[in-house]
Amino acid sequence: TSNDPGTSAQVKTNESGDANAAPGQKVVIGFSAPAADHGWIAAITNNAKAQAAAYSDVELKSVAAGNDAAAQRAAVATLISQKPTVIVMLPHDGKELDAAGLEAMKAGIPVINLDRAFPSRAAYRLQIKGDNFGMGLAAGAYIGEQLKSKGISNPIIGEIPGIDSLELTQERSQGFNTALATYGFKVANRRPAEFTADSGQAAATALLQALPKMDAVWNHDDDQGIGVLAAIKQANRSDFFMVGGAGSKAAIDLIKADSSVLKATVTYSPSMASSAVSLARLIGQGKGMNDLVELQVPKEITLSSETITKENADRYAALGF
Amino acid sequence: MTAEAVRARQRRWNLDDNAVRNLGLVGVLVVLVVIGVVTRPELYADPTWVRNNVLTILQQASAIGVVTVGMTFVIVGGGIDLSVGAIIALAGVWSTTLATQSYGALGMIFTALVVGLAVGVVNGVLISYGRLVPFIATLAMLVSARGLAAQISGKQTQVSTNDTINNLATTRPLGIPLLVWLLAVVVAAGWVLLNRTTFGRRTVAVGGNPEAARLAGINVKRHTLMLYALMGLCCGLAAIMLTSQATSAQAAMANLYELDAIAAAIIGGTLLSGGRGTIVGALFGVLVFSTITNLFAINNLSTEVQNMVKGGIIVAAVLIQQFRYRSLTQLLKR
Amino acid sequence: MTAEAVRARQRRWNLDDNAVRNLGLVGVLVVLVVIGVVTRPELYADPTWVRNNVLTILQQASAIGVVTVGMTFVIVGGGIDLSVGAIIALAGVWSTTLATQSYGALGMIFTALVVGLAVGVVNGVLISYGRLVPFIATLAMLVSARGLAAQISGKQTQVSTNDTINNLATTRPLGIPLLVWLLAVVVAAGWVLLNRTTFGRRTVAVGGNPEAARLAGINVKRHTLMLYALMGLCCGLAAIMLTSQATSAQAAMANLYELDAIAAAIIGGTLLSGGRGTIVGALFGVLVFSTITNLFAINNLSTEVQNMVKGGIIVAAVLIQQFRYRSLTQLLKR
Amino acid sequence: MSAGTESRRAGADTVLRLTDVVKTFPGVRALDGVQLAVRAGEVHCLLGQNGAGKSTLIKVLAGVHHADGGEISWLGDPFAPATPQAAMRAGIATIYQELDLVDDLSVAENAFLGHERSRFGFTRRRAIATSTREILARLGHPEIPPHRLVKALPAAGKQIVSMARALSHDARLIVMDEPSAVLAHDEVENLFRIIRDLTANGIAVIYISHRLAEIREIGDRVTVLKDGRTTAADLPARTTPTRELVGSMTGRSIEYLFPARPAEPAAGAPVADPVLVVQGLTRHGEFVDASLAVAPGEIVGIAGLVGSGRSELLETIFGARRPDAGTVTMDGHRITGVGSAVRRGMGMAPEERKSQALLLDEPVYKNMTLASFAGFAHGGFTAARDERAAALRTADLLELRPRDVDRPARTLSGGNQQKVVVGRWLLGGTRLLLLDEPTRGVDVGARAELYQVIRGLAEDGVAVLLVSSEVPEVLGLADRVLVMREGRLVHEAPADELDEDTVLDLVMAGSLLEGEPA
Ligand SMILES: Nc1ncnc2c1ncn2[C@@H]1O[C@H](COP(=O)(O)OP(=O)(O)OP(=O)(O)O)[C@@H](O)[C@H]1O
Ligand SMILES: Nc1ncnc2c1ncn2[C@@H]1O[C@H](COP(=O)(O)OP(=O)(O)OP(=O)(O)O)[C@@H](O)[C@H]1O
Ligand SMILES: [Mg+2]
Ligand SMILES: [Mg+2]
């Protein structure tokens, strides 16, 4: 989150000087991600572009994918007809764009499936994604630990997810509930927002009104969290602590300052886009990952969700978006 | 029966026309509150909570309420504006750029109002002088304005660092949130403007029968333009209100406000085809929606159940209101 | 002037009324294609690509095209339907539950059509017999149907494992995608229904002058009900088409299809207030939108620029069409 | 009582009988015990003031409204049509006072709307075109093409289509609610020919009109309504003295229809400069090279057939249409649009009250002050009380019935709506009044009042330009008469130098609907 866009891309620079970094044969990467009016997706696109720019042998053909799955299908169709070396695709919905992935693979273009998974294993060459379930688990575990250590046995826990009809939201909530269940806790009230600050404010206001006493709340997304924090301030409440999600720079700073109810955030980093572009280049050039024995890039990579707290905030400051 | 008697009855009937509709909405509100009391008695047992809850409902209704007042004018004047959410987003984003924020709170407010007004004027010009159908012109504006907002914000959520702005949402003169005062002022001004001024009279005429208005010497095009400009101004104000509430603005903010505002206006008794509408009804319409949201929250309904129930409540609200309306006028008839 | 002259002029003028509008849209389409050719000559140099591109545009237009045909009927009949996207989602989700999928392709198609029809009937009953304003009734349905769809799908994207359904989107009889054939059939049927049957003529009467229709002995309520039922059926069909394209369905699918369909119908020359509309125009309206999307894709515009430009193109398209329309009729008038 | 004897005498003949029929609207008893007996093959005229309940009565017959009390028997059986369709099936066809056509359907489709000929749901376009052509020929208008859209027809043409629809049913009774209001002289003759045809075949006709001359020519018997009650029945249409008819309608007698013209100004007295000067005004296809002038205190009438372009000329003078050539000046100032026209003190009462003049859902007083509310207002705030008072004065002047300016305009009868439209320009400082068919649908009593008002305005120095299809009205009211034919002003003379036949000769040299070239 920032008022001046594009200054904070997460890029792997070539300091290590390993062999893979040496310029190789030219790779054209087709890139498609949904229309971004949300900080996280904007960061995904920015990261991909910045990472591609860091390589002299990579050309990124970015295709904006419009507002829904159908638009993205159309965009990918035109992308395929232009025959890039590799396609990196963050689909609107993995299941809905499964067919598009299959089509590209059939046309001989390796597909790197970013973040939202295609169900068919034949639809991608590499899948690199965050761990939504794990994110919920991490948030739940943190909250459970904190409450347990405070000796609260019957806590009131609130949850503010993002757009509720998305599968990723469901996975996060499931992970959250699973972790809480191990402590014998459960969510008292759940008010979804829409990944925007104003909807976050509305949802949080409603939640606070419904729970005059609360011990902890998990807000799935740091961007909408700006509104959530504002609502908490407007309601003049401080009887609980809050955990965020995704790991925005503003959230990390706030955690470090320890000046608000926000005590932690669980990551879901858009840096995966940078990694995807790096690996797309390797796949295009037929190279493997140096630290692995395998000659080729593996088929699936899942980022783990980490918990950022006051203690480790410094280390993560650079990864905030 | 004597002419006098007829007239007296007639006047009574007319008086009750809108009042009865509003009464129906008050009934709906009461029913919603009663459901709340019955389902969560422990919450309603606490007077502080109740007072807070009322203020929360009002505060959450404030921005959309301001938009609905503007929308009522546009619809009464025979138009429609689908771009209100987009205008709010554009005004909000524009007024929270680093450059604008450097001018301080007044600069930000000024920017939001001017951007809203300007977009409204463009809408108005397209519709009145370009002769575009309002639906199409404002739909195009919706798409364009959101695009421009995304461009300006770099698709980032822009945080407001201006304390004056951010505090608007937390200030409570006389114990009532400033935003609620603002809503009250806008509603009162809207009521006077619609019912007691020549501007309002022209609005009704232009929406009710544009040809008749034109032949009576009213400048229909200019008036239409002014209606959309007014709408834009309301959106600019709402943008400030929302920005202060969320302490930030972004291109996707105020999503689908157009539908909410139109629905609230219509439920309040405004005729979608123009020529008739009430500001008080619009306010009640907004409050019904805001109260429904509150009711769902305190009962922790899941989104999908919420949605299913919400559709039903809307239908029921209109039916109740219609039923009351019909049966009451029936009674008055005898 | 002589009566003959008047009559001859009248005939010429009438003939051109809709044709001229459609001509304007064809002009807009040509301009869009020319822009494509100019900006990406290397793509247009390849005949196979061009052929494929045309088919892609048509295929992408197929589902929304079917919805727009239904929407044209509803609007011509004096109504509006905001719930089309939600109906598609509900029908799509319902027909891809594991239980439904176990009945095979026919079971799925049947389910989608019946669900669409049923929701349409509910809309129709609320509007005609419940006397709800169409805007409110279908808005409530939008909210409820999406909620129900989320409930049924458990908010998961439901994958279709039925090859017959999935292959609908890839089959190409005579080299033309099956979905395009379907669109063609629906458009042709819609044209005949609107222009050559009592149902269609009564639709014009009900929308154009409901009082006159009632006085002429038409059962306006029943007819209105049938219009929404027809709309629902179109949505059911569109749900199948979209499901086969995405090989899956989910509660959020066909998002904002209502706005697209209404916009396409209006741009095609259908009067939002009812009583006039053309099926061919609606088709052109859909094609304009689909071509714009394609143009953006091949030029790789970013979404925000796309949106900004799109609004402008919509306005320009309507202005061009209006300009041609006016100046041509002006010419014919002399 | 007399209705009772009558029916006993010719009971077998009586097809329709209404006894004590009552119909109430919110706040109004529109029908308050109506008696009516109609025989087969007769033309039964309904007379009554504006708002007497005539239209309501026929809507009850047509199944549009449902009676709250009383009995109706049709062909000897009790009858209470639930829907318009039921009435039509029973053999009652209706031509309504307000046009009931669908603009975007063709002539043939309108004629057969609701009972389309179809095969498996497909309209038989050729069949209905053929039938429509036959009916139109029977109506004397073979030149109206069945496939033309109704919106492209002039008002008179639409009336013909309404009649065609009534004739397309196999009716035993045809009800006509002021069918002649939008017809010109020759068209009325044609209408009468058709009515005679119908009655010769044993079909009964209920005929409503405010023109006594027509009733005398075509009617057999007259029933008079007043305030929703039958006040006289079974009057012979041809022989009942006018005094008696008007008396039972209004409860008083009308001595002079037209007010006397003021004495001629002494010869040589300075003639006032004209307020309005129109020069060479042209709109292609509507009217050509129209030049005229109107002086303060002068009433200038324009006579002509329906479709001769008078309305268009008036609207163009008012600035509501843009001229292709020519100028309009008021007091030497160019008029470029409605705004400037109204500012200079011009007012126009347009021809189509519903579509061009009224806010149907707004109260009467707001309709009356639509052009003048800004003048009543103080600093942008409206003065509703002053407006209501002024509107009430006008309502009294024009005998508005009911005399209630707070009810929505929609609930007024047609004639009373017309009074509201004219009344609008009696408020405020109008200096030039353009009147397009100001008495369409207005009853005899109110008409006399209206003439008085117009004359009174002229005496106060207001200039009046009057368009009317009723030649006696133009001759009786105007000081000077212009005759318009096919878009051209063909003759000009002081009113007292013209008589009805002369004007008709001038006007009839060619009629648009007849299709003969001039
Ligand atoms: N829909 C309605 N609601 C309320 N009052 C009505 C309605 N329709 C008619 N009225 C009232 O009923 C009375 C009779 O009206 P009606 O139209 O039958 O008069 P009419 O005899 O046809 O007059 P005119 O000669 O002016 O056409 C009037 O007082 C009128 O205001
Ligand atoms: N909707 C229309 N479309 C095309 N031409 C029309 C239309 N209405 C009228 N006209 C033409 O305009 C001319 C004048 O029509 P209109 O009947 O209004 O004349 P008028 O003299 O004002 O008659 P009235 O006695 O009804 O006032 C005629 O040539 C007619 O054919
Ligand atoms: Mg009448
Ligand atoms: Mg005329």
Side-chain angles (χ1 to χ4, degrees), chain D residues 44-67:
Chain D
H44 196 109
C45 296
L46 268 185
L47 262 179
Q49 280 176 291
N50 296 129
K54 305 179 294 295
S55 297
T56 307
L57 178 63
I58 67 139
K59 283 186 178 162
V60 167
L61 286 180
V64 178
H65 294 326
H66 306 288

Side-chain angles (χ1 to χ4, degrees), chain C residues 19-150:
Chain C
V20 169
R21 279 197 96 90
N22 289 344
L23 227 104
L25 282 175
V26 172
V28 171
L29 276 175
V30 169
V31 170
L32 288 176
V33 170
V34 167
I35 296 178
V37 173
V38 170
T39 50
R40 299 302 305 271
E42 74 283 12
L43 286 178
Y44 275 90
D46 174 0
T48 329
W49 182 88
V50 172
R51 185 169 177 285
N52 251 325
N53 198 42
V54 171
L55 292 182
T56 306
I57 292 178
L58 287 172
Q59 167 135 357
Q60 292 302 332
S62 58
I64 184 76
V66 168
V67 176
T68 305
V69 169
M71 189 64 86
T72 304
F73 274 89
V74 169
I75 298 181
V76 169
I80 197 153
D81 193 340
L82 298 180
S83 65
V84 291
I87 301 181
I88 292 177
L90 184 60
V93 161
W94 206 316
S95 66
T96 49
T97 56
L98 289 183
T100 315
Q101 290 203 34
S102 70
Y103 289 98
L106 281 184
M108 291 169 72
I109 295 176
F110 180 78
T111 305
L113 295 180
V114 168
V115 170
L117 183 66
V119 179
V121 168
V122 173
N123 275 338
V125 168
L126 286 177
I127 291 163
S128 59
Y129 296 98
R131 301 213 216 164
L132 287 179
V133 196
F135 192 96
I136 292 295
T138 57
L139 184 69
M141 181 55 82
L142 183 172
V143 179
S144 286
R146 287 235 186 249
L148 185 55

Side-chain angles (χ1 to χ4, degrees), chain D residues 20-78:
Chain D
D20 294 330
V21 171
V22 175
K23 169 74 197 170
T24 54
F25 291 112
V28 191
R29 234 174 145 80
L31 299 182
D32 191 13
V34 171
Q35 329 287 339
L36 179 70
V38 180
R39 294 184 206 145
E42 77 165 340
V43 177
H44 196 109
C45 296
L46 268 185
L47 262 179
Q49 280 176 291
N50 296 129
K54 305 179 294 295
S55 297
T56 307
L57 178 63
I58 67 139
K59 283 186 178 162
V60 167
L61 286 180
V64 178
H65 294 326
H66 306 288
D68 299 327
E71 276 151 38
I72 306 175
S73 82
W74 167 242
L75 302 177
D77 300 320

Side-chain angles (χ1 to χ4, degrees), chain D residues 155 305-312 315 351 436-437 440 467 469:
Chain D
L305 288 185
V306 172
S308 55
R310 296 161 303 165
S311 296
E312 287 76 4
E315 285 176 15
E351 167 177 36
D436 198 352
E437 310 281 3
R440 178 174 287 175
V467 163
S469 297

